[in-house]
Amino acid sequence: MAAPGRHRLTRKRFTAAAVALAALGGAVAYTVGSPAGRAHAAPELAHVVLPARDGWAASGKGTTGGSAAVASRVFTVSTRAELAKALSSGSRTEPRIIRVKGLIDANTDDDGRSLRCEDYAKGTGYSLASYLKAYDPAVRGRSRVPSGAQESARAAAQKKQAARIVFAVPANTTIVGVPGTGAGLTGGSLQVKNVDNVIIRNLAFADVRDCFPQWDPTDGSDGNWNSAYDAVSLRGATHVWADHNTFTDAPRFDSGNPRHFGREYQVHDGSLDITNASDLVTVSYNRFTDHDKTMLIGSSDKDSKLRVTLHHNIFRGTVQRAPLARVGQVHLYNNLFDTTTRNGYAFSYSVSSRARAQVVAEYNHWTLPGDGKVSRLLTGDGTGALAGTGNLVNGRGTDLVAAYNAENPGKRIRPTVDWRPVLSAGLETSAAALADSLGRTAGAGVLTASGGPAGSAVPAP
């Protein structure tokens, strides 16, 4: 791949510990002219802002989330009801901080009672057996999408579930897991829609499951079951920093999904999708594990903006879309991709550059099993571009685009782009040590109350 112009930041000789904290989005601050090694006091994790030049979300005014929140706008929540109240209370633009303590189950009522799929279906007239009978393609064919009583009942049941598990995130908000509490959200979806300046950190997102997937016989040659919820969904959002989170389907893996009409009854959608002209987003130090459609950047070929940085993330046991990029300017650096089949999730591809996307991928590391092919790491539609340098596959420097193009001459990826990344704080010019370093520093549960890493390895989920 052709190397892009040089854009690494000039680095001062900070101590090794300070460099590590800065790369992690930590809060060690230095003042020019201060005595060597003397740092200002670090703010508490919930008040940390995105460091300067740390990806696209640092562009312009940067991303500060709710760091300026007054004491009355700082909430600590440990239940679904408390989370919903903290997100909806007061002004929709005044800064707020939400500290999540422990694991919150989104599929609960206001009294904390667990809700099952049957609870959402109650009173709607929906049943899966009736739905399958009504829309069996052997009888109905594959040219008409579902309509009528059972489709209306399915939509009504899905709406009831959405009212419990989808949480709208306002502008100027920080949502952060309290260190040491196993903080996270199971079965819940954070929706960042048409708002600016949001930080999401130190949270584990698990099994965001749609009880009522929709059958679409026109989706592909054989039809598909489509689910509705991403763990985190950015739609028309700007200045968003998603950092040190973990995303997984566990404990409900897709291998346990039944098949109906010859297709997998898919109950999971995306892990973190960035669509509908979202812009200026940094995704750093996250773990994406045990999932199929991991990250969509761009909802259609006609989407716009979509300037996104992904750095120091782990993709392990992901099938596809790591990410699938359309239209925008996407920078991938220092990410780790392990393509080994895990918990039934068999690898398809990592990065897709489509619809004129301009991707720069550098100093990333891929692990391929013995029978893996380098040409499968990328895919595209013949209009996208991907440029980069320093990428390793099983420890060896590899030209990913050349390998892909050699086997896909009809849908070639262009190896040059017309932009040059300049917001790349913490970029490491070797990918050789990523497997070791990110094993200790990526994902939820790593950060301490002061915003730095705990310093000890955290097992992968």
Side-chain angles (χ1 to χ4, degrees):
M1 291 178 288
R6 309 316 310 155
H7 58 274
R8 297 193 302 273
L9 298 175
T10 301
R11 302 183 186 182
K12 297 182 181 296
R13 294 191 176 186
F14 296 140
T15 65
V19 171
L21 283 171
L24 284 165
V28 174
Y30 288 84
T31 301
V32 176
S34 295
R38 182 176 297 172
H40 295 297
E44 190 260 344
L45 177 61
H47 289 86
V48 173
V49 303
L50 177 69
R53 307 182 70 82
D54 193 341
W56 274 116
S59 182
K61 66 180 182 180
T63 300
T64 59
S67 59
V70 297
S72 62
R73 303 283 291 170
V74 178
F75 308 89
T76 298
V77 302
S78 57
T79 68
R80 182 223 164 266
E82 290 172 348
L83 174 61
K85 183 177 180 180
L87 285 166
S88 62
S89 65
S91 165
R92 301 296 290 172
T93 58
E94 188 179 355
R96 79 185 68 205
I97 291 172
I98 300 175
R99 302 168 72 250
V100 177
K101 187 175 182 180
L103 187 63
I104 293 176
D105 184 355
N107 285 289
T108 54
D109 64 16
D110 288 342
D111 295 323
R113 184 178 67 89
S114 294
L115 296 174
R116 301 175 299 172
C117 295
E118 305 93 279
D119 296 312
Y120 298 122
K122 188 176 181 180
T124 66
Y126 173 85
S127 77
L128 179 57
S130 297
Y131 191 88
L132 294 174
K133 182 178 180 180
Y135 305 113
D136 187 346
V139 177
R140 184 181 170 88
R142 295 181 179 271
S143 62
R144 293 182 295 161
V145 298
S147 62
Q150 269 302 300
E151 172 57 22
S152 296
R154 185 207 63 80
Q158 188 178 69
K159 184 178 180 180
K160 288 176 66 176
Q161 185 183 21
R164 305 306 300 174
I165 73 169
V166 177
F167 301 89
V169 179
N172 306 315
T173 294
T174 292
I175 306 178
V176 60
V178 176
T181 69
L185 185 61
T186 180
S189 173
L190 297 183
Q191 186 173 100
V192 188
K193 184 177 181 180
N194 297 331
V195 298
D196 180 69
N197 195 28
V198 171
I199 294 174
I200 302 170
R201 302 188 76 196
N202 201 39
L203 293 170
F205 295 91
D207 190 22
V208 186
R209 176 164 51 98
D210 185 350
C211 286
F212 311 102
Q214 181 183 35
W215 170 244
D216 184 353
T218 68
D219 184 355
S221 58
D222 298 316
N224 271 307
W225 291 96
N226 294 314
S227 52
Y229 313 116
D230 308 319
V232 176
S233 176
L234 311 185
R235 302 180 185 180
T238 54
H239 289 104
V240 178
W241 181 29
D243 175 75
H244 280 94
N245 303 295
T246 295
F247 299 84
T248 179
D249 288 350
R252 183 187 174 106
F253 300 127
D254 283 353
S255 57
N257 290 342
R259 297 178 71 85
H260 298 301
F261 305 151
R263 303 294 291 168
E264 180 185 347
Y265 189 69
Q266 179 56 265
V267 297
H268 298 124
D269 196 15
S271 291
L272 196 170
D273 280 5
I274 304 165
T275 63
N276 296 83
S278 290
D279 200 23
L280 306 177
V281 177
T282 296
V283 180
S284 58
Y285 286 93
N286 301 282
R287 286 180 182 263
F288 296 92
T289 68
D290 304 324
H291 192 80
D292 185 355
K293 297 175 288 186
T294 304
M295 183 184 299
L296 182 64
I297 301 177
S299 53
S300 76
D301 291 358
K302 296 181 180 180
D303 213 332
S304 62
K305 299 180 181 177
L306 302 171
R307 289 174 290 181
V308 180
T309 299
L310 277 69
H311 73 82
H312 294 93
N313 301 287
I314 294 176
F315 296 88
R316 177 171 287 131
T318 58
V319 178
Q320 59 180 315
R321 300 185 183 181
L324 185 158
R326 292 183 172 107
V327 179
Q329 296 176 343
V330 180
H331 191 197
L332 312 176
Y333 66 89
N334 297 150
N335 299 289
L336 177 66
F337 302 84
D338 185 346
T339 68
T340 307
T341 296
R342 170 184 159 112
N343 291 322
Y345 293 87
F347 174 77
S348 176
Y349 69 86
S350 290
V351 181
S352 177
S353 182
R354 309 173 57 86
R356 305 172 308 283
Q358 299 270 305
V359 180
V360 175
E362 52 189 343
Y363 305 107
N364 302 288
H365 191 281
W366 275 264
T367 299
L368 273 176
D371 59 349
K373 299 180 66 175
V374 174
S375 60
R376 291 183 58 199
L377 298 180
L378 306 181
T379 189
D381 64 352
T383 71
L386 190 147
T389 191
N391 295 300
L392 304 181
V393 178
N394 292 342
R396 300 182 62 179
T398 304
D399 189 331
L400 304 178
V401 172
Y404 169 82
N405 285 343
E407 295 201 18
N408 299 275
K411 293 185 177 181
R412 294 175 61 85
I413 295 173
R414 186 157 52 89
T416 58
V417 298
D418 58 10
W419 70 290
R420 182 173 67 92
V422 294
L423 300 172
S424 51
L427 185 147
E428 303 171 53
T429 55
S430 171
L434 288 177
D436 179 62
S437 63
L438 292 182
R440 299 190 308 271
T441 57
V446 172
L447 297 177
T448 63
S450 62
S456 58
V458 175

